[in-house]
Amino acid sequence: MSSPDEFRTSKAQWRSRLLLQRDELDEPARKADDQALLSNLLGWLAQRELNAVAAYVPVGPEPGADLPSVLREAGLRVLLPVVAGKQPLEWAEYTGPDSLRPATFGLLEPAGERLGAAAIGQAEVILVPALGVDHQGVRLGRGAGHYDRSLVLRDPAAELLGVVRDSEFVPSLPGEDHDVRMTSVITPARGVVRLPM
């Protein structure tokens, strides 16, 4: 059995590896991935009757550039996270690119009315940023715990969709019992895959 220190090291090693992989991806490959990912997502969402989705604003090499705008143009109500210290994320509605402002951690957040942490319960689909997702639904984030504290407030029927590039969907990642597992993952080449698989 591995020690807690070895476990944290393993997570840190995965984060370093996956972040380096993202940084090494060239701009044409990123754009092609983003187009394929968003096309797959829109096709999958179109098969469902939805009112609201929770998403995020991708930054840097994160997959899914223009994600909030694409979702809003598809006629969906889009909730975006607002970091509120070590508390669960709060949420606000995305009303267009002009509704975003710079925030902590280099993020962009909606500047509109905060709807509170419980607003995540209004989303039928929650698009979750990840550095990696494994075949059992374990999600590796950046380590701050914001989503782990927030996803417990979701509607239990909501789809939890980890958003990653194809190379970031891996057989196994270090996970803990309290980690909230993804119910599905979406990648540019594979589209939406139900988890666990």
Side-chain angles (χ1 to χ4, degrees):
M1 182 173 198
S2 62
S3 73
D5 287 341
E6 289 171 324
F7 185 81
R8 280 191 289 278
T9 300
S10 178
K11 276 191 165 185
Q13 289 170 336
W14 269 107
R15 283 189 184 100
S16 295
R17 175 181 158 196
L18 293 167
L19 285 167
L20 181 63
Q21 225 174 253
R22 280 189 179 175
D23 288 341
E24 290 176 343
L25 195 62
D26 65 34
E27 193 62 26
R30 280 185 196 164
K31 286 185 177 181
D33 270 4
D34 288 344
Q35 288 175 343
L37 189 135
L38 293 172
S39 176
N40 287 332
L41 178 60
L42 289 176
W44 183 80
L45 290 171
Q47 298 171 25
R48 286 150 180 77
E49 288 188 29
L50 302 172
N51 295 310
V53 296
Y56 61 96
V57 182
V59 293
E62 282 187 312
D66 300 324
L67 179 62
S69 294
V70 168
L71 294 170
R72 188 164 186 264
E73 288 166 11
L76 295 166
R77 179 174 182 235
V78 181
L79 301 175
L80 296 180
V82 178
V83 176
K86 292 283 185 184
Q87 303 303 312
L89 295 165
E90 294 194 18
W91 300 86
E93 191 165 345
Y94 174 74
T95 57
D98 293 341
S99 69
L100 298 175
R101 66 173 180 220
T104 57
F105 307 113
L107 302 174
L108 291 172
E109 294 178 342
E113 175 190 358
R114 289 191 184 189
L115 305 173
I120 194 173
Q122 299 170 23
E124 295 122 323
V125 172
I126 302 168
L127 298 163
V128 185
L131 294 175
V133 174
D134 77 10
H135 294 179
Q136 292 74 46
V138 173
R139 169 191 164 268
L140 183 68
R142 293 191 180 251
H146 293 113
Y147 275 90
D148 287 326
R149 286 189 290 276
S150 302
L151 293 176
V152 295
L153 301 174
R154 74 192 185 281
D155 180 331
E159 188 81 35
L160 298 180
L161 193 57
V163 182
V164 293
R165 300 191 188 282
D166 292 287
S167 62
E168 299 163 354
F169 182 38
V170 298
S172 183
L173 288 168
E176 299 174 84
D177 290 341
H178 68 265
D179 291 340
V180 178
R181 310 277 193 206
M182 300 295 98
T183 58
S184 296
V185 65
I186 184 166
T187 78
R190 297 185 71 164
V192 175
V193 178
R194 287 289 297 165
L195 300 173
M197 59 177 286

